[in-house]
Amino acid sequence: MKKRRTSLKDLADELGVSIATVSRALRNSHEVGEEMTQKVKALAKKRNYRPNPFAQSLRKEAPKVIGVVLPNLVTHYYAAVLDGIEEKARQVGYSVFSSNSHEDHNLEEKAIDNFISHHVEGIIACLAQDTVDYSHFREIHDMGIPLVFFARTCLPELFSQVVANGDEAAYEATKHLINTGSKRVAFIGGPNHLDMVVRRKHGYLEALREYHIPIDRDIIVCDKIDADIARENTTKMLESNNPPDAILAFNDILTYGAFEAIKNKNLRIPQDVAIIGFTEGETAEFVTPKLSAIMDQAREQGIKACELLLKNIAGDPTIYREVVPMILKIRESSDKNSSKKFGT
């Protein structure tokens, strides 16, 4: 049987390092220490690794490909972002490979390595919720591979990013809840290290300060982005001695977890507990009562992210920060005054 050719990935897996590290070591990059460089070269010699000049020559003729890393492809938001990326990429003759990290930084790193091994021309990424080590993205920068972040971002000094005005949107949504009869507004968010959570929580807190409402940490819950956890945390708040009478929820997963918890307690929405969620999905109109929502222009975010990446691929070294405004859509779930007015 013909023996399979040793690849960069084979070397990286055996050494327990990234493909990027192996590639740089073989090129004598100063970014890799002398000890690791020697280990890589020794293993490459032992495994009879040889670059594939034929494959290298074909790269110029290969299809132009963009890699996209998403935390949770089954949600409407990420599907809509990907749709925008694909539309823009298609217009200029690029194909798109997408990878779902399932909110796991290990899978995120593997996706990045896989994109490198397939020689994508650029990458668009949104951080997994448990990613706190950004070294794999620093390696992308060191290799000169263009990368753009959207939504959940990091390393703004190195990479362009497309974000929403989540702080302003959360501020306006909290003000709406207060102005329509809510007095004790809770915030249910994701992990505190995510910049997206920080922005949205900041807007919420600014609205409370403006109305001179004391900040109560008992009703500010930032936890894992998980519907079951959101339901449990909401239930605990509702069963406390001083429960909230309104909730601002970080995203669609947490929103529907909180929505279900309110319903399970046989509380009325919005009379007993008003709720607004950051959610892109059309399902907001089909639940009872219809859900007030802060909507990302997700598809537009995808288009913008792809546009910035294409600029980088074309040689533009500028680090951009694009802000796509959100839309506050008031429906039935958030206005206590309206529900009283109509006797519901």
Side-chain angles (χ1 to χ4, degrees), residues 128-141:
Q129 66 174 301
D130 64 348
T131 296
V132 293
D133 177 1
Y134 308 133
S135 57
H136 51 307
F137 293 115
R138 291 185 186 278
E139 288 182 348
I140 289 291
H141 177 265

Side-chain angles (χ1 to χ4, degrees), residues 164-175 178 185-211 213 215 217 220-222 248-250 278 294 321:
N165 61 336
D167 51 346
E168 297 174 19
Y171 170 78
E172 293 297 334
T174 306
K175 282 178 58 177
I178 296 168
V185 183
F187 178 80
I188 300 178
N192 276 312
H193 65 268
L194 292 175
D195 61 324
M196 180 191 280
V197 175
V198 172
R199 289 194 298 270
R200 295 180 182 185
K201 184 165 66 173
H202 174 74
Y204 156 80
L205 293 173
E206 284 298 296
L208 296 187
R209 292 187 184 102
E210 181 175 319
Y211 283 81
I213 296 173
I215 294 171
R217 298 296 172 183
I220 301 173
V221 181
C222 291
L248 175 64
F250 168 73
F278 284 82
I294 307 162
R321 186 177 188 273

Side-chain angles (χ1 to χ4, degrees), residues 4-297:
R4 187 174 68 84
R5 188 187 191 100
T6 300
S7 68
L8 284 176
K9 187 176 186 306
D10 294 330
L11 300 178
D13 288 346
E14 189 164 343
L15 289 167
V17 297
S18 69
I19 294 173
T21 296
V22 172
S23 177
R24 288 202 303 271
L26 293 173
R27 290 184 283 108
N28 295 311
S29 170
H30 69 279
E31 299 291 339
V32 181
E34 179 63 24
E35 182 180 354
M36 178 54 69
T37 295
Q38 293 308 315
K39 283 184 179 179
V40 170
K41 288 184 175 181
L43 182 62
K45 183 177 181 180
K46 180 179 179 181
R47 298 286 178 256
N48 197 29
Y49 169 76
R50 294 289 186 277
N52 188 338
F54 179 69
Q56 291 174 337
S57 69
L58 285 178
R59 282 173 201 154
K60 293 181 181 179
E61 304 300 325
K64 297 185 292 185
V65 177
I66 291 169
V68 181
V69 187
L70 303 154
N72 190 345
L73 189 50
V74 300
T75 67
H76 186 279
Y77 169 74
Y78 291 114
V81 171
L82 181 59
D83 186 60
I85 293 170
E86 289 178 336
E87 178 189 330
K88 184 61 185 179
R90 209 165 34 240
Q91 291 173 0
V92 293
Y94 275 80
S95 298
V96 175
F97 289 169
S98 62
S99 183
N100 191 344
S101 73
H102 298 282
E103 299 283 13
D104 184 325
H105 74 278
N106 291 317
L107 293 178
E108 176 183 275
E109 290 185 24
K110 288 179 181 178
I112 294 295
D113 265 1
N114 189 44
F115 288 152
I116 294 170
S117 68
H118 282 85
H119 306 288
V120 299
E121 296 203 20
I123 296 170
I124 297 173
C126 180
L127 296 176
Q129 66 174 301
D130 64 348
T131 296
V132 293
D133 177 1
Y134 308 133
S135 57
H136 51 307
F137 293 115
R138 291 185 186 278
E139 288 182 348
I140 289 291
H141 177 265
D142 294 342
M143 293 181 72
I145 299 173
L147 184 145
V148 172
F149 283 109
F150 73 92
R152 307 178 196 166
T153 71
C154 66
L155 305 174
E157 71 280 8
L158 299 182
F159 300 109
S160 295
Q161 54 185 251
V162 176
V163 297
N165 61 336
D167 51 346
E168 297 174 19
Y171 170 78
E172 293 297 334
T174 306
K175 282 178 58 177
H176 162 75
L177 289 166
I178 296 168
N179 288 332
T180 55
S182 295
K183 301 183 184 304
R184 186 167 164 77
V185 183
F187 178 80
I188 300 178
N192 276 312
H193 65 268
L194 292 175
D195 61 324
M196 180 191 280
V197 175
V198 172
R199 289 194 298 270
R200 295 180 182 185
K201 184 165 66 173
H202 174 74
Y204 156 80
L205 293 173
E206 284 298 296
L208 296 187
R209 292 187 184 102
E210 181 175 319
Y211 283 81
H212 305 291
I213 296 173
I215 294 171
D216 185 348
R217 298 296 172 183
D218 289 339
I219 57 171
I220 301 173
V221 181
C222 291
D223 205 335
K224 186 176 180 180
I225 300 172
D226 180 274
D228 291 337
I229 291 175
R231 186 168 55 249
E232 291 169 8
N233 286 330
T234 303
T235 301
K236 288 178 183 177
M237 285 194 291
L238 296 176
E239 291 177 347
S240 68
N241 293 329
N242 192 12
D245 67 347
I247 293 172
L248 175 64
F250 168 73
N251 70 355
D252 49 359
I253 293 172
L254 303 187
T255 297
Y256 288 109
F259 194 94
E260 184 180 358
I262 298 168
K263 290 279 191 175
N264 288 345
K265 296 297 294 180
N266 293 317
L267 296 170
R268 298 168 301 164
I269 302 174
Q271 297 93 325
D272 299 320
V273 185
I275 184 169
I276 296 179
F278 284 82
T279 176
E280 183 75 12
E282 296 176 357
T283 52
E285 290 197 65
F286 302 135
V287 295
T288 304
K290 294 180 180 180
L291 180 65
S292 293
I294 307 162
M295 300 184 297
D296 293 280
Q297 298 190 69

